[in-house]
Amino acid sequence: MTDEIPEDHPRYESLLTRHRIEAGVDSGITSRQGLIAEGRGEAFDYLLGEQTISSADRAARAAAAQLLSAEQPVLSVNGNVAALVPEEMVELADAVDASLEVNLFNRTEERLDRIVTHLREHGADEVKGLTADARIPDLSHERAKVDADGIAAADVVFVPLEDGDRAEALAALGKVEIVVDLNPGSRSAQTAAIPIVDNIIRAVPNIVAHARDLETAEPGQLRAITDSFEASVALQEAEQTIRNGSLSSSDTTRDSRSWVPPISEGSVEPAE
Ligand code: ATP
Ligand code: MG
């Protein structure tokens, strides 16, 4: 299906992303709710100028440093993540020596199996999530399931596109949480120690690049990077970019085709 999208289309990446999610739904990897989540994300990405803003890049570097310093890092994979960046997640797991665990909001054994197979087809050796022998406290049964030697035992969890409830429950367990979410106001982004407000298709390769760059860094150097990262500042910068339009931010690399009008304070004109 992606053959149908001309590469010179100005919004090629966005269309490709949409098609990957569609294909994920068709092959039983992504849930139908995943389509809605994607649409929500796209709206924010459009307002960000479909680019990695500097605060998101700082967050990606802090995420790489945090994952490299972790004792037992786990990367969580849901249906949207598996459809959009399977190879890149396997690469990240390799770069920071982390486990991959499938973790679904709408959990069915069939979808779980398909995602595990899909990740293996993209180079993963071991994928956790099938055992489900531990529970996250204060969540209803299906949403609470995790592996005892995976997310339950992890000190640092990377949970891109995570549901707000589960993000809050994981943070309450004392895990250092790294989230990728295009909405800086979502509870997942608000809960994370390191929120990366960026499209996952840009964020994961960017974390991999930072991890490779920091591969030989001393523990003290990694700590300095994570200590100097401030989640509230990064979230504020992302929200400002979205509200003001990315043309007025220092991050601008946009051309006229992708200009978006600033959102004005106060009254909103009715739609025509
Ligand atoms: P919350 O429950 O955390 O307050 P929510 O209910 O709006 O937020 P969900 O629908 O559960 O969130 O999850 C989807 C989230 O993932 C949205 O915030 C959306 O912006 C984000 N999202 C969707 N697609 C992408 C993507 N490709 N990259 C990054 N973020 C994305
Ligand atoms: Mg939610």
Side-chain angles (χ1 to χ4, degrees), residues 37-38 40-41 84 161 164 181-183 186-188 198-200:
E38 170 63 24
R40 226 184 216 154
L84 292 175
L161 281 52
D181 195 318
L182 278 158
N183 177 4
S186 83
R187 280 180 303 149
S188 315
D198 200 6
N199 196 314
I200 189 164

Side-chain angles (χ1 to χ4, degrees), residues 8-199:
D8 60 352
H9 190 288
R11 306 199 55 248
Y12 174 77
E13 228 176 45
S14 167
L15 295 177
L16 186 70
T17 306
R18 203 173 297 175
H19 281 300
R20 281 195 196 158
I21 290 286
E22 270 184 274
V25 174
D26 288 345
S27 63
I29 285 174
T30 308
S31 71
R32 284 187 301 156
Q33 286 90 334
L35 285 171
I36 297 167
E38 170 63 24
R40 226 184 216 154
E42 274 184 30
F44 287 103
D45 204 14
Y46 199 94
L47 294 171
L48 281 170
E50 293 170 344
Q51 62 184 330
T52 300
I53 61 171
S54 58
S55 56
D57 185 54
R58 288 203 310 275
R61 192 163 180 83
Q66 188 69 257
L67 287 164
L68 285 168
S69 328
E71 276 185 22
Q72 224 172 314
V74 175
L75 316 183
S76 167
V77 179
N78 66 19
N80 284 48
V81 175
L84 292 175
V85 284
E87 227 168 272
E88 293 84 348
M89 288 296 285
V90 173
E91 214 183 326
L92 179 59
D94 178 60
V96 301
D97 198 15
S99 308
L100 289 163
E101 178 164 339
V102 180
N103 180 18
L104 302 178
F105 186 76
N106 300 297
R107 185 186 175 98
T108 67
E109 290 306 313
E110 194 188 349
R111 213 149 69 75
L112 210 81
D113 279 339
R114 289 201 175 158
I115 294 175
V116 170
T117 305
H118 185 66
L119 289 171
R120 289 207 178 113
E121 284 167 1
H122 285 85
D125 294 327
E126 200 206 342
V127 183
K128 297 185 193 292
L130 292 167
T131 320
D133 49 355
R135 300 284 178 272
I136 306 169
D138 300 324
L139 283 181
S140 62
H141 186 66
E142 286 303 309
R143 291 162 53 215
K145 288 183 173 175
V146 285
D147 277 18
D149 65 349
I151 288 176
D155 54 342
V156 177
V157 286
F158 178 65
V159 278
L161 281 52
E162 181 58 283
D163 164 70
D165 256 14
R166 210 157 41 181
E168 280 176 355
L170 285 170
L173 276 181
K175 312 224 176 267
V176 176
E177 203 164 12
I178 304 165
V179 157
V180 178
D181 195 318
L182 278 158
N183 177 4
S186 83
R187 280 180 303 149
S188 315
Q190 297 279 336
T191 305
I194 305 180
I196 305 172
V197 182
D198 200 6
N199 196 314

